[in-house]
Amino acid sequence: MNLEEIAELTGVSRSTVSRVINNDPNVNESTRERVWAIVRQVNFHPNAAARGLAAGRTRVLGLVIPMGVSALFTDPYFPILIQGVSSACNANDQSVMLWLAEPEYERRTIRQIMHSGLIDGAIVASMLMDDPVVQALAEGDLPFILVGRHPTNTRVSYVDTDNLDGARKMVAHLLRLGRSRVATITGPQNMIAGADRLAGYSAALHDRGLAVDLELIVEGDFTEAGGYSVMQRLLPRRPDAVFVASDIMAVGALRAIRDAGLRVPEEIALAGFDDMPFAERSEPPLTTVRQPTVRMGSTAVEMLIDLIEHPDSAPHRIILPTELVVRKSCGSDLQ
Amino acid sequence: MNLEEIAELTGVSRSTVSRVINNDPNVNESTRERVWAIVRQVNFHPNAAARGLAAGRTRVLGLVIPMGVSALFTDPYFPILIQGVSSACNANDQSVMLWLAEPEYERRTIRQIMHSGLIDGAIVASMLMDDPVVQALAEGDLPFILVGRHPTNTRVSYVDTDNLDGARKMVAHLLRLGRSRVATITGPQNMIAGADRLAGYSAALHDRGLAVDLELIVEGDFTEAGGYSVMQRLLPRRPDAVFVASDIMAVGALRAIRDAGLRVPEEIALAGFDDMPFAERSEPPLTTVRQPTVRMGSTAVEMLIDLIEHPDSAPHRIILPTELVVRKSCGSDLQ
DNA sequence: TATATTTATGGGAGCGCTCCCAGAAAGTAG
DNA sequence: CTACTTTCTGGGAGCGCTCCCATAAATATA
C-alpha cells in the first residue's frame, strides 16, 4: 500500500494524500477528511525509508551509550535514562536507535552511523572526560546532545545534573549537623560527574571557611566493592561523616563501617548520591541527592530535536537541579 | 557523496560500485580493490534510507519491551538482555531500534512500526501470558521472535530459559539437603516465567513422590516489598526451606525471616532465581539459579535474522539451560 | 574459425516518498 | 466583466540505492 494507491482510492492525487499525511494546511477540509478516512480504513502507514530518502530526515534519534564504563549497567541509571529518552521520543513522534558502543567498534561504527543517514541526530550518554566517541562526533556534522556536561569543548550542547550543587548542599547539610571531619569518597576523576561532585564537596567546605583536608578525600570507582575497600582506607583517619559520590559505593562503605564495629549514623554519618531505589531500603535508610534522570533524558530529546531543526543555533547548556533527600543515615533527626 | 560520485572517481559505473559495496563476487579483483580504496579514502557510507527503499530491507531490528511490567526495570534483567541483543546486532551488521512500549501506545504504535518498514523484524521481551503486543504482532506479517516462551500460540518462534528445569533442580537440591517443608514464593501467575518456575517446584516434589501442599505456595509479584510481605504470610506455616522465584523477592523474604528472629540457613533455607549481581553479596550469599540472559538476547537476534531470511521456515523454539549456583543461604555446606 | 559459455560491466527502471512549480478554481476588488 | 489574488490540486523530478537485463570482452568448446 502506498501513496499512489491511497490517491486512487480517494480520487485525489498522490500529492494531496502526502499533504494530508503531513498535516499541510493547504488542503480543503472535506478532502482532508475523506483522505484520512481511507488512510485509517486501510491502516496505511507511509514507508519510512522512502520518507527518509525523499525528505532527508528519518525521524530517528540515536542513543549512544559507550559501554566501556558500564559496569554501571548494573545500576539503574542507564535504564532510567533510556526510559526518559524513549518516552520523550514517543511523545515527539521519533524513534530511538540504541547504540551500546563497545570499545572496539567505537570509531569505526560512529563514522558509519554518522554518514549513513540512519539517524537525524544523537544523544550521547558518555561519562568520560574525553571520550573518543564524543571526539568523533564533534568532528562530524551530525547534530548531537551530550548527557553529562563537557568540561572543555564549548561548541557542544548538553544537559546535566547539577552535580556540584548537589554535592555542595549535601556536605553543607553534614556540616550543619555539627560534623567536623567530613570525608568524601569521590567518583573516578576522569568522569565529569566524579569531578563535579568533588568540586561541590570542596565548595561546601570553603563556604564555611574550612580548609580541605586531603587526607579525608579518597577516590572510588562507582562500584560497591570499591566503596568497601576505599572506606577501609578512610576509617583510620577518623572521619565523623562521609559524603560518598554514589549510592552504590555508599552501600559498600556502609558495610565497611559496620565490619569495623562502628555505627551509622551515631559514629559516622553517611550520605550518598543518586537516590537509587535501594537507597531508601538500606539499613539505615540512606540520605542522598536525587537527580532527575528521566527528565535529563527527555530534555536531551527536546534539545536534540531543536538542534536538528535549527542546526545553526548557539549551543545550549541545561543544568537540572538536584534535591536533597534526608533519611536516617546522617542522623539529622538525632541532632 | 553517493554511489554515482564514487563511480566517477573510480572510473567505473554505479552498478559496479554497488557490487563492491555489497561483496558481490562478480567483480574483477583489481576493480574491487580500486573501488574499495576510494570508498575508504573518502569515507563513503551508503545511504541507509535509499538502501532500505531499494532493497526492501533496512537491516534494523526492533527490540520491543512492553513497559507495563517493568517495575522490572529496577532489576538488571532487561539491561542485560538489551546488551545481549545489541552486541549480537553489532556482530551481524544490524542496528537496534528500541521500543519501550508504554501501555497506551501499544496497539497504535505496533501497527505503525509494523507497516512503516522501519524494521525488518522484532524481538519482543514480553513477560505476560497474553500480551496485546504479541497478539498484534501475531496478526501481522512482520517476523518476530519472543524472548520468553508463548504458552499457547504454536506458530511463534521463541527463545527462553528453562525456567521449569531450573526451579526443579533447585527444589530437588533443597529436598536432597533434607528439608521437608519446602515452600515457594512464586512469581505472578500471569507471567510465563512465574508459572514455569512454579511448575518446576511441583515437578521436583512429584519426582520424590511428595504431594504439593498448597499452604506452602504463595504468589509474589517479583518485587522486594512483595517478597517481604508474602514471606510474613508464609512464616506461621513453618517452612524449613523456601524457594523464591526471583532474587529480588528473595532479598525481601530474607529480611522478613530475619525480622521474625529466625536464621538463614539454619532454620530456613532460602533459594532464589536469576543470579542477580547482588545475590552473591547478600548476607548470607544467596543460592540461586543462573540464567543465560545475554545469550538469550544474542540467540534471539540470530533466530530473527534467520527468520527474516527464511520467512517460511517452521517456528523455532530454543530453551536455554540454567545452572544451579549453590551459596550459603541454603546451608548445603552445613549438612 | 565459428560458436557457446563464462566473466565483468553498464545503464534503465523503479522502490515510495517530498518538494516544487504550474495551473485550475474560487474569491475579491476595481 | 475583467484583473488580480488566494486557495487548492496535480504531476514531474529526484532522493540514492538495488535489481535485472543487455552487452562487451575473455575464455572455452566444437
Side-chain angles (χ1 to χ4, degrees):
Chain A
M1 185 64 61
N2 58 26
L3 277 193
E4 208 85 44
E5 295 179 63
I6 300 290
E8 186 115 12
L9 286 173
T10 331
V12 297
S13 75
R14 169 175 47 86
S15 300
T16 301
V17 178
S18 173
R19 285 189 194 96
V20 172
I21 296 281
N22 293 292
N23 292 315
D24 186 313
N26 293 328
V27 179
N28 183 285
E29 215 37 59
S30 72
T31 310
R32 181 189 305 280
E33 277 164 28
R34 204 148 37 90
V35 172
W36 266 128
I38 297 285
V39 164
R40 269 194 297 267
Q41 187 189 317
V42 304
N43 195 23
F44 169 75
H45 292 284
N47 180 283
R51 259 188 154 170
L53 180 57
R57 179 163 176 193
T58 59
R59 303 194 73 81
V60 175
L61 306 183
L63 175 54
V64 181
I65 302 180
M67 289 291 293
V69 265
S70 46
L72 296 175
F73 231 77
T74 55
D75 82 33
Y77 172 79
F78 283 112
I80 293 172
L81 182 69
I82 290 173
Q83 212 174 318
V85 167
S86 167
S87 70
C89 281
N90 280 353
N92 287 280
D93 194 25
Q94 308 276 131
S95 299
V96 191
M97 187 129 274
L98 186 65
W99 183 40
L100 267 34
E102 298 167 59
E104 333 96 69
Y105 282 100
E106 282 177 3
R107 293 203 144 265
R108 194 178 65 75
T109 322
I110 194 91
R111 284 251 151 68
Q112 193 168 326
I113 300 262
M114 270 171 46
H115 290 62
S116 70
L118 235 189
I119 57 177
D120 293 333
I123 292 167
V124 185
S126 170
M127 323 239 66
L128 263 44
M129 284 267 191
D130 40 15
D131 194 302
V133 170
V134 176
Q135 199 97 23
L137 239 11
E139 287 163 13
D141 52 3
L142 186 80
F144 70 101
I145 300 285
L146 256 36
V147 176
R149 74 188 190 85
H150 193 103
T152 56
N153 191 327
T154 57
R155 301 195 42 241
V156 303
S157 296
Y158 57 74
V159 56
D160 202 354
T161 293
D162 200 338
N163 286 298
L164 192 151
D165 186 62
R168 183 184 217 154
K169 283 190 295 198
M170 178 58 83
V171 174
H173 177 71
L174 294 170
L175 293 169
R176 204 180 311 125
L177 293 174
R179 305 287 173 164
S180 57
R181 290 184 60 76
V182 179
T184 185
I185 297 177
T186 75
Q189 291 301 300
N190 65 341
M191 295 192 191
I192 299 122
D196 284 351
R197 289 173 194 180
L198 173 56
Y201 165 86
S202 303
L205 293 178
H206 290 145
D207 291 345
R208 281 251 180 166
L210 299 171
V212 169
D213 180 353
L214 288 177
E215 222 190 24
L216 293 177
I217 301 179
V218 289
E219 182 172 342
D221 60 358
F222 280 156
T223 71
E224 191 194 335
Y228 185 90
S229 66
V230 148
M231 187 68 223
Q232 288 184 314
R233 281 220 320 271
L234 207 50
L235 282 171
R237 303 172 196 169
R238 299 273 154 229
D240 60 3
V242 184
F243 164 59
V244 188
S246 85
D247 286 353
I248 194 106
M249 287 198 295
V251 169
L254 182 61
R255 266 203 302 126
I257 295 171
R258 286 269 176 65
D259 288 359
L262 297 168
R263 286 168 306 159
V264 172
E266 290 82 353
E267 282 145 311
I268 298 186
L270 193 68
F273 202 114
D274 289 340
D275 194 28
M276 292 287 165
F278 54 81
E280 67 175 332
R281 299 186 317 240
S282 84
E283 230 342 273
L286 189 64
T287 290
T288 186
V289 179
R290 178 176 301 157
Q291 54 175 332
T293 310
V294 167
R295 222 179 110 211
M296 277 216 283
S298 56
T299 303
V301 169
E302 281 148 24
M303 289 173 77
L304 182 55
I305 291 174
D306 190 70
L307 185 60
I308 290 167
E309 284 167 1
H310 310 99
D312 298 322
S313 60
H316 286 210
R317 285 86 188 285
I318 298 184
I319 302 285
L320 298 176
T322 59
E323 184 188 339
L324 215 58
V325 180
V326 176
R327 300 202 182 94
K328 299 250 171 76
S329 71
C330 62
S332 60
D333 53 338
L334 302 174
Q335 308 296 315
Chain B
M1 186 64 60
N2 59 26
L3 276 194
E4 207 85 42
E5 296 178 62
I6 299 290
E8 187 116 11
L9 286 173
T10 330
V12 297
S13 74
R14 169 174 46 88
S15 300
T16 301
V17 178
S18 171
R19 285 189 194 96
V20 172
I21 296 280
N22 293 292
N23 293 315
D24 186 313
N26 293 327
V27 179
N28 183 286
E29 214 38 57
S30 72
T31 312
R32 183 190 303 281
E33 278 164 28
R34 204 148 36 91
V35 173
W36 265 127
I38 297 285
V39 164
R40 268 193 299 264
Q41 186 189 318
V42 303
N43 195 23
F44 169 75
H45 292 283
N47 181 283
R51 260 188 153 168
L53 180 58
R57 179 163 175 194
T58 58
R59 303 195 71 83
V60 176
L61 307 183
L63 174 55
V64 182
I65 302 181
M67 291 291 293
V69 263
S70 47
L72 296 177
F73 232 78
T74 56
D75 83 34
Y77 172 79
F78 283 112
I80 293 172
L81 182 69
I82 290 174
Q83 211 173 319
V85 168
S86 168
S87 69
C89 281
N90 280 352
N92 288 279
D93 194 25
Q94 308 275 131
S95 299
V96 192
M97 187 128 274
L98 185 66
W99 183 41
L100 267 34
E102 299 167 57
E104 332 95 67
Y105 283 98
E106 282 176 2
R107 293 204 143 263
R108 195 177 65 76
T109 322
I110 194 89
R111 285 249 152 69
Q112 193 168 327
I113 300 264
M114 272 171 46
H115 290 62
S116 70
L118 236 190
I119 59 177
D120 294 334
I123 293 168
V124 185
S126 171
M127 323 240 64
L128 263 46
M129 284 269 192
D130 40 16
D131 193 302
V133 170
V134 176
Q135 199 97 21
L137 239 10
E139 287 163 12
D141 51 4
L142 186 80
F144 70 101
I145 299 286
L146 255 36
V147 175
R149 73 188 191 85
H150 193 103
T152 55
N153 191 327
T154 57
R155 301 197 41 242
V156 303
S157 295
Y158 58 74
V159 56
D160 202 353
T161 293
D162 199 338
N163 286 300
L164 192 151
D165 185 62
R168 184 184 215 156
K169 283 190 294 198
M170 178 58 81
V171 174
H173 176 72
L174 294 170
L175 293 168
R176 204 179 313 123
L177 293 174
R179 305 288 174 162
S180 57
R181 289 184 61 76
V182 179
T184 185
I185 297 178
T186 75
Q189 292 301 299
N190 65 340
M191 296 192 190
I192 300 120
D196 284 351
R197 290 173 193 179
L198 173 57
Y201 166 85
S202 303
L205 293 177
H206 290 146
D207 291 345
R208 282 253 179 167
L210 299 170
V212 168
D213 179 353
L214 287 179
E215 223 189 24
L216 294 178
I217 301 179
V218 290
E219 181 171 343
D221 61 357
F222 280 154
T223 71
E224 193 195 334
Y228 185 91
S229 67
V230 149
M231 187 67 222
Q232 288 184 314
R233 280 220 322 271
L234 207 49
L235 281 171
R237 303 173 196 167
R238 300 269 155 232
D240 60 5
V242 184
F243 164 59
V244 189
S246 85
D247 286 353
I248 193 103
M249 287 198 296
V251 169
L254 182 60
R255 267 204 301 128
I257 295 171
R258 285 270 176 65
D259 288 358
L262 297 168
R263 286 169 307 159
V264 172
E266 291 82 352
E267 282 145 311
I268 298 186
L270 193 68
F273 202 113
D274 288 341
D275 194 29
M276 291 288 165
F278 54 80
E280 66 175 332
R281 300 188 315 241
S282 83
E283 232 339 278
L286 190 64
T287 290
T288 185
V289 179
R290 178 177 301 157
Q291 52 174 333
T293 310
V294 168
R295 221 177 111 211
M296 276 216 282
S298 55
T299 303
V301 169
E302 281 148 23
M303 291 173 77
L304 182 54
I305 291 173
D306 191 71
L307 184 60
I308 289 167
E309 284 166 1
H310 310 99
D312 297 323
S313 61
H316 286 211
R317 285 85 189 285
I318 298 186
I319 302 286
L320 298 175
T322 59
E323 183 188 340
L324 216 58
V325 180
V326 176
R327 300 202 183 95
K328 299 250 171 73
S329 72
C330 61
S332 58
D333 54 337
L334 302 174
Q335 306 296 312

